[in-house]
């Protein structure tokens, strides 16, 4: 296996690991830069079943976070399940996408309350978060310090597919 | 009651509300600016019983987040309890504090694993997060959109005690 194939295989493994970790946590917290507040988070429903290195979220076009992402696409996504001591931090770049076909593919039941018109709702905007780095803490082991594992994708060239893998302790 | 007294009373009410919302969620996710990763989060144990408008967290002096806060003190703190559909976003300014007396006051059992030497551990640094703005979503009502409530402290002058209160829907 050459280096390129190895990287590709590592990437696929990272993606599977992250997908398993997210598991049944359907709601994440998306943190964006806000001119007024500094850093602001809000809960969002994810279309996780499609996770292939990018997270997809749904929002209304007139929501403040759309402007915030437009001004600064650097975001963080948290999945937290304190009752199971499971925490995931995803550092990424957000992109605003209008794509009705994609919205139909990613549609989940929970979204009906937000977009009664369904995936063809003209006010619907997709947020695609390209994962630069992901880190998780899972207390199947006792201490966070033992449990921390990092999935490093690429920290410099998020759109260049230079995905890497390493494990660190913090 | 004059305007000053009213603001003070509103502030105290906001603090009580936030304290109740955090409730038994002991672990929060702290998001900081990272030069390499963009925005990075990690789980942290809070000393919530002392919450009086500032959150206090414990860290080791050599942890990367200490440098990150030193470079940029703008942070976000998330408390998430997906099983109860309860989510809190706190926008704030972090400050690094070395104060053994304060550490003793804020000490909780869960910290023994991290600082075996206790609150007098020389590598212990306190992170004080001064709350600029707090927002929460609590699904005792069905929809997030119905549930969202915002506790606005001050968004411009976090150290000037100009704390305000308002409720918004997003």
């Amino acid at each position: 296996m050459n280096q390129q194939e190895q990287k590709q295989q590592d990437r696929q493994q990272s993606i599977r690991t992250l997908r398993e970790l997210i598991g049944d946590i359907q709601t994440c917290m998306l943190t964006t830069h806000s001119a007024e507040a500094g850093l602001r988070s809000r809960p969002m429903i994810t279309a996780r079943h499609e996770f292939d290195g990018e997270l997809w979220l749904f929002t209304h076009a007139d929501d403040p976070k759309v402007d915030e992402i437009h001004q600064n696409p650097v975001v963080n996504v948290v999945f937290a399940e304190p009752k199971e001591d499971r925490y995931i931090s995803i550092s990424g770049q957000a992109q605003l996408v209008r794509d009705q076909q994609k919205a139909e593919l990613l549609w989940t039941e929970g979204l009906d309350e937000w977009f009664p018109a369904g995936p063809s709702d003209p006010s619907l905007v997709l947020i695609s978060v390209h994962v630069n780095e992901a880190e998780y803490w899972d207390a199947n082991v006792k201490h966070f310090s033992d449990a921390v594992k990092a999935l490093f994708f690429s920290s410099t060239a998020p759109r260049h597919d230079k995905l890497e893998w390493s494990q660190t302790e913090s």
Side-chain angles (χ1 to χ4, degrees), chain A:
Chain A
M1 193 184 294
N2 66 30
Q3 207 183 356
Q4 190 60 36
E5 286 167 337
Q6 183 63 49
K7 279 193 177 178
Q8 188 58 28
Q9 198 180 63
D10 289 349
R11 181 195 181 197
Q12 289 307 319
Q13 182 55 46
S14 298
I15 288 168
R16 273 195 300 274
T17 305
L18 202 48
R19 197 189 291 138
E20 281 165 26
L21 283 163
I22 293 170
D24 60 352
I25 313 176
Q26 200 188 5
T27 305
C28 65
M29 291 292 277
L30 173 73
T31 305
T32 53
H33 291 81
S34 149
E36 305 85 41
L39 294 178
R40 186 183 276 161
S41 297
R42 78 284 292 159
M44 297 192 74
I45 295 171
T46 52
R48 70 184 183 288
H49 60 284
E50 278 288 313
F51 181 65
D52 60 356
E54 296 191 294
L55 284 170
W56 290 86
L57 311 167
F58 294 74
T59 187
H60 285 100
D62 59 356
D63 191 279
K65 66 175 128 12
V66 171
D67 270 344
E68 291 173 11
I69 287 169
H70 190 70
Q71 296 291 324
N72 189 337
V74 173
V75 301
N76 182 269
V77 178
V78 157
F79 290 87
E81 189 55 270
K83 290 215 161 58
E84 298 168 14
D85 264 348
R86 194 157 93 247
Y87 304 93
I88 303 164
S89 163
I90 292 172
S91 305
Q93 295 267 335
Q95 197 179 6
L96 303 163
V97 178
R98 279 193 185 269
D99 182 338
Q100 193 183 323
Q101 211 173 355
K102 190 81 185 167
E104 279 165 15
L105 265 170
L106 297 170
W107 194 256
T108 63
E109 252 180 52
L111 292 161
D112 292 336
E113 297 176 2
W114 296 86
F115 303 95
S120 64
D121 191 318
S123 81
L124 189 156
V125 175
L126 292 167
I127 301 173
S128 149
V129 178
H130 187 88
V131 180
N132 296 343
E133 185 184 300
E135 227 176 327
Y136 68 92
W137 295 256
D138 190 325
N140 288 322
V141 282
K142 199 180 168 194
H143 306 280
F144 286 142
S145 45
D146 293 331
V148 60
K149 296 278 181 285
L151 323 180
F152 285 101
F153 290 82
S154 165
S155 61
T156 51
R159 296 258 159 233
H160 293 174
D161 210 33
K162 287 187 196 164
L163 302 179
E164 289 162 24
W165 164 281
S166 69
Q167 292 189 324
T168 61
E169 289 198 358
S170 86

